[in-house]
Amino acid sequence: MEVTGLAKRGDGRHAGFPGPVRAVVPSAAPPGPSRPSAERTAMTDVPGRILILIKPDAVKRRLIGEILRRIEAKGYDIIALDRLRATPELLAEHYAEHVDRPFYPSIVEYMTSGPLVAAIVEGHRVVEGLRSLIGATEPTTAVPGTIRGDLGRDWGTSAMENLVHGSDSPESAEREIAIWFPRFAR
Ligand code: UDP
Ligand code: MG
């Protein structure tokens, strides 16, 4: 029996369909200002990207899988993944806005204390989506439901050991992707 009214997997309308879903302009739509132009439709189809770091405290606590699971469960695509040890030189580039802050030497010590996992995650509005999923900088007060809120706490280092980094804007994301994944640079 054919069940009507339900979107079928693969037709582009199913909520869980993992492929690129394009904005569909019905062929019967009347021409006029309310109809999106081809240019506008093409622009909204381009997914965003973000650089994520699963920091050494999270790797030590064996939270790589749990953090990647949450990112995938929200529906984003992990398009590049690498486990590596950060160097002070790499971190100075990555944290260019923080190098003059008093806590910067502690950050370098923390971020070089063990391996970390770098990832590029892709999807529409992914920077907003993942900043929201990651939660506030302070793990103690980050809202429950977020990665930092559920999995993080103050271990005596205040806001430093907070499990994850996520780029704070699409521009930062492109700058950081070029640092950690040069072959993905645009
Ligand atoms: N950090 C810290 N003390 C602070 C603020 C930040 O140790 O008062 C650390 C923390 O690990 C944070 C990172 O520096 O994730 C970068 O700070 P930012 O303000 O960019 O926070 P985020 O964007 O990671 O939430
Ligand atoms: Mg930041």
Side-chain angles (χ1 to χ4, degrees):
M1 182 182 72
E2 175 77 18
V3 179
T4 53
L6 285 177
K8 278 182 266 160
R9 196 169 272 281
D11 69 1
R13 291 182 297 134
H14 190 283
F17 181 63
V21 178
R22 306 215 170 272
V24 175
V25 180
S27 56
S34 63
R35 181 175 175 164
S37 71
E39 195 182 344
R40 170 90 185 129
T41 305
M43 278 173 63
T44 53
D45 273 349
V46 177
R49 308 197 294 179
I50 188 172
L51 188 276
I52 293 294
L53 299 176
I54 301 178
K55 297 181 178 184
D57 54 329
V59 173
K60 280 196 193 84
R61 291 178 54 206
R62 297 184 155 71
L63 291 172
I64 299 171
E66 171 63 16
I67 290 168
L68 294 179
R69 187 197 67 74
R70 287 174 181 231
I71 291 170
E72 286 204 300
K74 192 166 165 73
Y76 296 120
D77 295 323
I78 297 162
I79 64 163
L81 199 58
D82 194 11
R83 184 182 190 269
L84 71 158
R85 270 177 188 271
T87 61
E89 293 73 29
L90 200 66
L91 292 167
E93 270 194 83
H94 175 77
Y95 281 128
E97 61 173 334
H98 295 305
V99 285
D100 296 325
R101 301 239 181 125
F103 58 80
Y104 184 69
S106 310
I107 289 188
V108 175
E109 194 182 337
Y110 160 50
M111 294 293 286
T112 57
S113 66
L116 54 75
V117 171
I120 305 174
V121 182
E122 190 178 79
H124 297 284
R125 299 176 65 191
V126 69
V127 171
E128 286 169 86
L130 277 194
R131 291 287 292 188
S132 165
L133 189 68
I134 289 169
T137 305
E138 276 271 3
T140 302
T141 51
V143 175
T146 64
I147 292 170
R148 287 167 173 169
D150 285 351
L151 308 173
R153 51 162 280 197
D154 182 348
W155 299 92
T157 57
S158 189
M160 194 174 71
E161 293 176 89
N162 59 7
L163 305 167
V164 199
H165 165 83
S167 320
D168 62 11
S169 68
E171 295 72 31
S172 306
E174 292 309 316
R175 190 185 73 80
E176 293 170 5
I177 286 168
I179 295 168
W180 296 89
F181 292 97
R183 71 195 166 91
F184 283 82
R186 280 182 179 153

